[in-house]
Amino acid sequence: MPEARATITPGLHGFHGGLDLDYHKAPACDRPIGEMPLVDEYVLPLHMHIGAPAIPVVAVGDHVRRGQLLARPDDFISAAIHAPTSGVIQAIEPRGLPHPGGLSAQSIVLAADGEDREAEPLDPWPDYVDKSPVEIRSRLREAGIVGLGGAVFPTAVKLATANPGGVETLVLNGAECEPYISCDDRLMQEAPEPIIRGAQMMLHAVGASRCLIGIEDNKPRAIAALQAVIDRLAAEENERRFAIKVVPSIYPAGGEKQLIRTLTGIEVPRNRHVTDYQLLCLNVGTVANSWHAVVEGRALTERVVTVTGGGVAEPRNFRVRIGTPMAKVIEAAGGYTEGVDRLLMGGPMMGFALHEDEVPVVKATNCLLAMRPVDRDPTPPPQPCIRCSRCSEACPADLLPQQLYWYARAQQFERSHDYHLFDCIECGVCSAVCPSHIPLVQYFRHAKTEIWSAEREKAKAEHARRRFEFHNERIERQKAEREAALAKKRAAIKAAQEKAAKQGDQAGDKSGDSTAKAKAGNGSPAASSAGEGKSAAALSIEAARARAKERKARAQQAQPTPDDTTGAEPRTSDAPERPGGSS
């Protein structure tokens, strides 16, 4: 069983809990970073970062080159994906993910052509000091840069959500506290210049005045390599903003809040972020790739991966193209040894077992750990909790794992949330020290998943409720609009009728005597009272009839009549004319 944490080095601040572990870094860390040969096929999941999946901008059959954009960010928290080599887009379909549940996700499948031709790079910015922070963030987003320490949070978003009051201190995380993993160690040894130059660029991007680099004391060669670059820049450029802080090898010293506490003494409370204290923490690999993206215009298409454990023949770090099948990476390390029964992505404390080795290397893949039964302690069956409180004493997040376990086991997830379940960093310390061998972290992960699922269902129900209410409001609004339009139409009709009736009355007053007599013909009291009860429309019709009778009467008066004095019949064309013209 791991021993309790060691004593903190004088001059630094400690954090609660932690363990002193056997780190097993030497086999892979003692060899230079190797270059992975090209493979025939690359699989690039569209969701290999925190946030929304990327959206493909290519189609099946397209020929692409290395570094060409394959999928664009779909949301504020999202990241671009680029081609790891040149070739043809073979498919866009669901493929297996490196996931503890063996899930699949929509992926771009690239058939390599073996030529590895590069696309036109992004516009290099060697004079990045002339660029604004917004432009630098835009470039990092365009290049697909994410946190390479394991969180894969989009770096541009992390810079954009920093404290509005500014960032005072940039912290570079080179602790790499997880056993077996040494990719950051080898990177610091072999490429210290891009790391320090990338940190300079980040200082400019966030306006910070100093940079603290935290490295565990089990990495002396990495410390020496970075210190040499810092000393040279101090002599040549009067660069005085950097300081390396050697921290004790206490797991998990590489946790963001734990490293901040160790270096600065600032303890970030629950529900707060380090940026609230004018701090920003970035992984050394992240700043190195950020420098390549801004200064050289290179998109993120590869990363350093540790291939180690007793289950591989030749443990080593490799520079691996994103999308390479993990089985090919194992082959590059000499293949499996006899008796391998488990392949983990990540370390033994926070990593997870994979269902197969045909899944691709993604941006979060920092280690492939092949293990045999003899490489790990046997795991006895879990026993009942004896309430020894060792888990609470060792928890680096200062939680109460015992209480969280009881609530998670009883499925009282709301109570787990009340006990700050989401402050758990899933480091595995509590499980490692538990004398009852209870897989505490598995319970916590399950509880988190259930809470997230309940929140999603609640959000869906709330969304459905809002849609239902909006639907009803829309129906009521349309009904009111129809009633208002109908009322307006009725008012217009009534106004027209009143206007017509008024015009009819005025025309009746101006008509001749015959019209007046016709109106007065039924002027008896009974008729008058009956007329008074008539509607305006009926009166209008009667006035029109009276005017028609008047016109007819005038027409009859204008028509020729027989000669009354002679009594002669009018002559027609059919009657023959008599001689003499008279009888």
Side-chain angles (χ1 to χ4, degrees):
M1 183 177 296
E3 297 296 329
R5 55 175 294 160
T7 305
I8 295 295
T9 303
L12 295 176
H13 306 269
F15 59 89
H16 183 269
L19 294 176
D20 188 6
L21 301 174
D22 293 329
Y23 285 92
H24 305 286
K25 294 179 181 284
C29 189
D30 292 341
R31 303 181 63 188
I33 298 174
E35 294 289 340
M36 266 290 299
L38 292 175
V39 298
D40 295 332
E41 183 180 88
Y42 294 86
V43 178
L44 299 118
L46 298 175
H47 198 182
M48 64 171 86
H49 49 261
I50 288 179
I55 300 298
V57 296
V58 293
V60 175
D62 289 354
H63 192 280
V64 298
R65 297 192 176 194
R66 181 182 182 184
Q68 181 175 333
L69 181 67
L70 300 184
R72 60 173 176 81
D74 185 42
D75 203 349
F76 178 63
I77 304 179
S78 187
I81 298 172
H82 300 79
T85 186
S86 58
V88 177
I89 304 300
Q90 191 173 18
I92 302 177
E93 61 187 14
R95 289 290 186 97
L97 284 176
H99 188 275
L103 302 180
S104 299
Q106 199 77 355
S107 305
I108 297 175
V109 182
L110 173 63
D113 58 13
E115 299 179 4
D116 201 28
R117 290 177 292 176
E118 293 193 6
E120 192 71 24
L122 301 172
D123 185 22
W125 292 345
D127 298 326
Y128 62 84
V129 292
D130 297 331
K131 303 299 180 180
S132 68
V134 174
E135 290 175 304
I136 291 178
R137 293 198 301 266
S138 177
R139 168 56 59 85
L140 297 177
R141 178 179 174 87
E142 188 179 6
I145 304 298
V146 297
L148 299 181
V152 289
F153 193 82
T155 305
V157 178
K158 194 167 187 177
L159 299 184
T161 54
N163 192 323
V167 173
E168 176 64 27
T169 302
L170 172 66
V171 175
L172 291 193
N173 191 342
E176 199 169 46
C177 59
E178 180 92 5
Y180 286 96
I181 305 176
S182 58
C183 55
D184 288 346
D185 190 353
R186 285 308 311 184
L187 184 67
M188 288 187 286
Q189 293 181 46
E190 299 185 28
E193 185 88 14
I195 293 174
I196 300 301
R197 293 296 186 183
Q200 283 184 315
M201 182 191 67
M202 289 299 184
L203 289 172
H204 165 71
V206 298
S209 61
R210 66 170 180 163
C211 176
L212 302 179
I213 307 174
I215 308 176
E216 282 190 339
D217 55 13
N218 60 4
K219 303 174 179 62
R221 289 173 292 185
I223 295 170
L226 290 175
Q227 189 63 57
V229 176
I230 292 173
D231 293 341
R232 178 170 56 83
L233 293 180
E236 296 176 357
E237 303 177 11
N238 196 30
E239 177 60 82
R240 307 289 181 183
R241 294 176 293 176
F242 289 90
I244 294 179
K245 299 291 184 179
V246 180
V247 302
S249 301
I250 299 173
Y251 179 82
E256 183 179 70
K257 290 186 177 181
Q258 286 71 37
L259 185 60
I260 293 292
R261 177 75 173 86
T262 301
L263 298 183
T264 67
I266 297 175
E267 185 171 358
V268 181
R270 296 183 177 95
N271 301 321
R272 299 293 295 273
H273 194 269
V274 296
T275 54
D276 296 333
Y277 297 85
Q278 296 185 313
L279 299 166
L280 181 66
C281 186
L282 297 172
N283 174 263
V284 291
T286 304
V287 296
N289 281 278
S290 298
W291 185 80
H292 291 309
V294 173
V295 176
E296 299 176 355
R298 287 166 46 185
L300 179 60
T301 59
E302 63 183 16
R303 67 156 298 149
V304 179
V305 179
T306 302
V307 187
T308 187
V312 293
E314 301 174 3
R316 190 175 186 180
N317 286 281
F318 289 93
R319 189 168 279 105
V320 183
R321 308 284 180 100
I322 305 298
T324 304
M326 292 182 180
K328 297 294 183 181
V329 183
I330 298 295
E331 287 180 13
Y336 294 111
T337 59
E338 187 176 354
V340 176
D341 67 340
R342 185 176 298 181
L343 178 64
L344 281 70
M345 188 177 101
M349 299 298 290
M350 299 185 69
F352 55 87
L354 297 168
H355 291 254
E356 57 176 339
D357 60 4
E358 291 298 329
V359 293
V361 169
V362 294
K363 295 180 181 182
T365 307
N366 57 357
C367 179
L368 295 178
L369 177 58
M371 303 191 76
R372 304 165 296 178
V374 297
D375 299 324
R376 58 184 184 273
D377 295 331
T379 306
Q383 300 295 321
C385 174
I386 61 175
R387 298 181 181 272
C388 65
S389 75
R390 293 188 65 178
C391 55
S392 301
E393 295 171 359
C395 178
D398 205 7
L399 300 176
L400 297 174
Q402 175 186 311
Q403 291 300 120
L404 290 173
Y405 161 68
W406 287 116
Y407 290 130
R409 182 178 177 180
Q411 297 189 1
Q412 297 180 13
F413 301 123
E414 291 185 1
R415 293 292 291 161
S416 297
H417 194 283
D418 294 339
Y419 273 77
H420 311 291
L421 172 67
F422 286 93
D423 286 344
C424 172
I425 61 176
E426 301 179 16
C427 62
V429 167
C430 55
S431 299
V433 301
C434 179
S436 297
H437 309 289
I438 300 173
L440 296 169
V441 174
Q442 294 184 23
Y443 280 97
F444 302 156
R445 287 173 177 167
H446 171 70
K448 288 181 180 180
T449 302
E450 291 297 321
I451 292 173
W452 284 328
S453 177
E455 289 179 349
R456 284 194 296 268
E457 291 300 321
K458 182 179 179 181
K460 287 172 61 177
E462 179 66 18
H463 179 66
R465 184 187 65 79
R466 289 197 301 266
R467 289 189 60 185
F468 177 74
E469 291 178 352
F470 177 78
H471 175 72
N472 288 343
E473 289 175 1
R474 180 168 55 84
I475 291 176
E476 292 297 328
R477 185 176 64 252
Q478 291 175 347
K479 182 179 178 180
E481 290 174 353
R482 286 195 298 267
E483 290 179 352
L486 185 59
K488 184 178 180 180
K489 184 176 180 180
R490 289 172 176 168
I493 292 174
K494 183 177 181 181
Q497 291 175 346
E498 292 176 351
K499 183 178 179 180
K502 184 177 180 180
Q503 292 176 349
D505 293 340
Q506 292 175 352
D509 293 340
K510 295 178 181 180
S511 60
D513 293 339
S514 61
T515 303
K517 290 179 180 180
K519 288 183 178 181
N522 295 324
S524 63
S528 177
S529 61
E532 291 175 356
K534 292 182 180 179
S535 66
L539 293 175
S540 177
I541 292 173
E542 290 183 0
R545 286 177 177 173
R547 290 194 297 272
K549 289 180 180 180
E550 182 182 2
R551 287 195 298 272
K552 185 176 180 181
R554 287 197 298 269
Q556 288 176 350
Q557 292 175 1
Q559 201 174 14
T561 56
D563 189 355
D564 294 334
T565 58
T566 61
E569 292 286 338
R571 183 179 297 174
T572 63
S573 57
D574 293 334
E577 184 177 356
R578 294 178 182 178
S582 62
S583 57

